[in-house]
Amino acid sequence: MKQYETVIGLEVHVELATRTKIFCGCSTEFGGAPNTHTCPVCTGMPGSLPVLNKKVVEFALKAGLATSCRINQYCKFDRKNYFYPDNPQNYQISQLYLPICHDGSVEIETSAGKKTVRIHEMHMEEDAGKLIHDEWEDCSLVDYNRSGVPLIEIVSEPDMRSAEEVIAYLEKLRCIMQYLGVSDCKLQEGSMRADVNLSVREVGSDLFGTRTEMKNLNSFKAIARAIEGERERQIELLEEGKVVVQETRRWDDNKESSHAMRSKEDAKDYRYFPDPDLPPIHISDEWISQIRSSLPEFREEKQLRYQEEFGLPPYDAGILTESRHLAELFEQTAACSVYPKKVANWFMTEVLRLMKDQGMEPEQIRFTPQHLAALIDMVEKKEVSGKNAKLVFEKIFLEDTDPVAYVQEHGLKIVEDTGLLESTVGRILDENPGPLAELLGGKDKVMGFFVGQIMRQMKGKANPDTVREVLLREVENRR
Ligand code: ADP
Ligand code: MG
Ligand code: ZN
């Protein structure tokens, strides 16, 4: 069999996290009772007029500048005409001729190393409503809450060659958008959606094959399976001497196969024309430079800085910077602690562990940075045992408890009361003549048993080093 190469380009829709819709004042909030976030504009009533939400342009500019795009400082909206019940105006307001951003790129990293994926363009548009097919009542219902929610569509060049590259690209876009705060990019909730354009060609050929477009992909796993399935389907056709038809296909992740939805439509099928209700947009140099200077420190820069500043291995620095929220919480905690490296350890172990146990997203973590810093301080000063500190941290993590007060109230502070410690050691030795004999006979392993017993009696409020010292002394006295 011949050797084939897969060629993939993506169209990614990202829902922007503005408070209100793109052309009216309705809420963009996800969910809500059907048709409660609606008005004459977003339900396409005759005579209603759209008014552009400036925040949408600002967010699109942020996304464009963060992906090294060039900006069309004079840009316009166009009407894309098609009939479908989730589209009440019978056209979607989008951008065709002068999209806001073009010619950008992002760098991705896969097991094969670094690679650049070029972005052809990025345009603003409105989302459609949602059809709900009620099989029980045998009818379809429509909810316009999503109608008019702002989107940017990011169109890549056909630069990707594998599912691994596609996923790295999507993760990169998601990370950038989340750092910018312009979208939460949740595939499951549909705030990030990817259409996969795929063709195959013989290795060595410099011509592209005919592509198909796959829709309905709502997880990275589904995307990977769809790519594999479509690649095989196309290769099989070519091997049989048939041709690939340019069409839109729907991937059914349960059946792990796709079927044709419709033949591919061209721009001319949509009868695009400039929207007469919306004036062109002029984007000033000042606005661009203002947005450029407001861009945050992104993940890669943070990752490098963490390695230098906190001596973290690249892997750890990668984990701590995956979410901007987690990274900022870590930085704030490190900033108010005299043990910043210990703070990094606590995040890598306890914070991540509790997050996983609680099934939480990083964005849901809410504790006061000073609280964890104060706890670490007590541990380092040997005022609380490591074991108790973990219990106290659970309280901080779940209820944002003040650790100093908590340790005081629950009597968890290590007491350097050597009188109490000495009598406890003596008593434990008396109660365990067998192990004591073994210890005197030179069996050092029994030390661990005694330290454990004593720590338990002291309810963890003793410093293990001191326990060890006192224990050795008492044992010597009994020789
Ligand atoms: P349209 O607007 O008609 O959907 P475009 O030419 O703008 O078509 O391309 C849409 C997407 O398809 C882009 O992401 C592009 O990279 C990708 N694409 C174009 N040609 C191919 C091809 N032969 N193989 C794979 N992907 C392709
Ligand atoms: Mg397209
Ligand atoms: Zn509205």
Side-chain angles (χ1 to χ4, degrees):
M1 199 173 88
K2 294 171 193 149
Q3 290 278 313
Y4 291 92
E5 177 179 52
T6 320
V7 174
I8 307 163
L10 295 190
E11 291 159 285
V12 177
H13 286 92
V14 170
E15 259 180 23
L16 299 178
T18 53
R19 211 171 40 77
T20 56
K21 294 185 178 179
I22 182 168
F23 300 122
C24 64
C26 293
S27 164
T28 55
E29 210 175 311
F30 181 75
N35 298 307
T36 52
H37 303 163
T38 53
C39 74
V41 173
C42 56
T43 50
M45 295 296 164
S48 64
L49 286 171
V51 177
L52 177 61
N53 178 349
K54 190 175 176 187
K55 221 34 184 189
V56 172
V57 183
E58 181 191 317
F59 280 11
L61 284 174
K62 281 188 174 179
L65 292 176
T67 50
S68 311
C69 281
R70 296 175 57 193
I71 307 296
N72 276 325
Q73 288 179 258
Y74 177 77
C75 76
K76 288 199 250 194
F77 283 103
D78 305 297
R79 289 187 181 178
K80 179 180 183 179
N81 298 282
Y82 68 96
F83 172 78
Y84 204 64
D86 65 4
N87 171 32
Q89 304 155 134
N90 286 343
Y91 57 83
Q92 178 194 30
I93 305 180
S94 181
Q95 296 191 291
L96 178 73
Y97 301 108
L98 288 170
I100 186 163
C101 310
H102 61 103
D103 291 304
S105 66
V106 294
E107 198 171 70
I108 59 167
E109 200 165 352
T110 63
S111 49
K114 288 191 162 78
K115 171 171 179 170
T116 300
V117 175
R118 291 168 302 155
I119 291 172
H120 179 75
E121 63 157 83
M122 194 183 285
H123 59 258
M124 299 178 281
E125 60 187 28
E126 55 180 340
D127 208 344
K130 250 184 210 166
L131 282 184
I132 300 146
H133 303 289
D134 190 330
E135 277 172 38
W136 191 250
E137 297 282 349
D138 191 24
C139 66
S140 291
L141 303 165
V142 64
D143 175 6
Y144 290 120
N145 282 353
R146 201 179 64 179
S147 171
V149 167
L151 296 175
I152 45 173
E153 178 173 339
I154 307 166
V155 183
S156 83
E157 295 292 347
D159 285 348
M160 285 157 279
R161 297 289 174 269
S162 65
E164 191 195 2
E165 289 185 1
V166 166
I167 288 164
Y169 170 75
L170 288 170
E171 282 179 339
K172 184 65 181 244
L173 284 184
R174 182 172 67 177
C175 185
I176 292 172
M177 300 306 152
Q178 288 176 345
Y179 262 76
L180 289 170
V182 304
S183 176
D184 56 14
C185 290
K186 288 186 184 154
L187 272 84
Q188 277 75 4
E189 286 185 8
S191 58
M192 185 183 199
R193 312 195 281 269
D195 298 340
V196 174
N197 295 273
L198 185 149
S199 62
V200 296
R201 63 177 173 189
E202 259 183 76
V203 168
S205 159
D206 50 8
L207 291 174
F208 287 140
T210 306
R211 73 177 193 270
T212 60
E213 180 178 357
M214 278 184 294
K215 293 191 180 287
N216 194 33
L217 304 164
N218 57 10
S219 73
F220 286 150
K221 285 196 180 118
I223 290 170
R225 283 191 287 264
I227 288 174
E228 201 40 51
E230 183 59 11
R231 171 188 153 85
E232 279 169 20
R233 192 187 69 87
Q234 290 189 14
I235 291 176
E236 212 166 288
L237 284 173
L238 298 182
E239 285 287 305
E240 289 169 0
K242 296 178 182 160
V243 291
V244 174
V245 179
Q246 186 170 337
E247 62 193 0
T248 302
R249 302 180 68 84
R250 174 178 281 271
W251 174 253
D252 185 332
D253 203 42
N254 293 322
K255 293 191 194 136
E256 293 206 25
S257 72
S258 65
H259 58 264
M261 262 167 85
R262 53 172 188 252
S263 67
K264 175 78 185 131
E265 56 292 281
D266 273 326
K268 64 178 187 304
D269 298 325
Y270 289 116
R271 304 290 194 274
Y272 276 98
F273 67 88
D275 193 305
D277 289 342
L278 288 156
I281 310 161
H282 292 272
I283 298 164
S284 68
D285 293 341
E286 291 75 49
W287 199 13
I288 293 179
S289 56
Q290 188 194 330
I291 288 176
R292 201 186 289 282
S293 61
S294 78
L295 295 181
E297 179 187 32
F298 285 103
R299 186 181 183 194
E300 294 66 37
E301 305 157 73
K302 268 197 197 301
Q303 221 172 327
L304 288 176
R305 182 163 65 79
Y306 285 9
Q307 292 175 45
E308 282 181 17
E309 220 172 297
F310 306 106
L312 285 173
Y315 175 81
D316 293 20
I319 299 271
L320 290 182
T321 52
E322 220 168 82
S323 135
R324 180 177 175 186
H325 178 77
L326 188 69
E328 281 178 353
L329 194 60
F330 161 65
E331 285 178 37
Q332 286 160 4
T333 313
C336 57
S337 171
V338 278
Y339 309 102
K341 288 184 185 175
K342 300 279 177 201
V343 173
N345 286 342
W346 273 78
F347 267 78
M348 286 305 294
T349 53
E350 294 310 297
V351 175
L352 292 182
R353 184 177 65 77
L354 286 172
M355 200 171 94
K356 204 168 157 216
D357 285 357
Q358 301 290 321
M360 277 161 82
E361 295 290 329
E363 284 64 37
Q364 295 170 297
I365 303 177
R366 300 255 174 280
F367 61 78
T368 310
Q370 281 81 1
H371 286 167
L372 175 55
L375 178 65
I376 293 174
D377 210 51
M378 286 190 279
V379 176
E380 294 308 309
K381 287 183 180 149
K382 301 231 178 335
E383 290 172 6
V384 203
S385 70
K387 205 168 150 199
N388 281 336
K390 286 184 187 175
L391 297 176
V392 177
F393 180 61
E394 272 188 43
K395 290 277 168 196
I396 297 180
F397 189 87
L398 298 172
E399 294 156 33
D400 201 21
T401 309
D402 174 357
V404 178
Y406 187 86
V407 163
Q408 202 71 42
E409 271 165 37
H410 292 77
L412 296 175
K413 197 156 179 175
I414 290 173
V415 275
E416 283 293 319
D417 179 349
T418 33
L420 174 68
L421 181 57
E422 273 163 16
S423 65
T424 307
V425 171
R427 186 158 49 79
I428 296 285
L429 289 174
D430 291 343
E431 284 169 5
N432 296 282
L436 175 61
E438 287 179 39
L439 189 59
L440 290 170
K443 230 182 168 186
D444 283 345
K445 273 191 225 154
V446 195
M447 272 299 276
F449 163 76
F450 278 113
V451 173
Q453 291 287 316
I454 296 158
M455 286 300 283
R456 192 164 313 146
Q457 285 295 315
M458 300 290 294
K459 301 203 167 51
K461 290 183 285 177
N463 177 349
D465 295 338
T466 322
V467 170
R468 217 162 254 283
E469 254 169 55
V470 175
L471 181 62
L472 283 173
R473 209 162 56 220
E474 286 295 307
V475 171
E476 282 314 304
N477 288 344
R478 290 174 191 231
R479 275 200 194 278

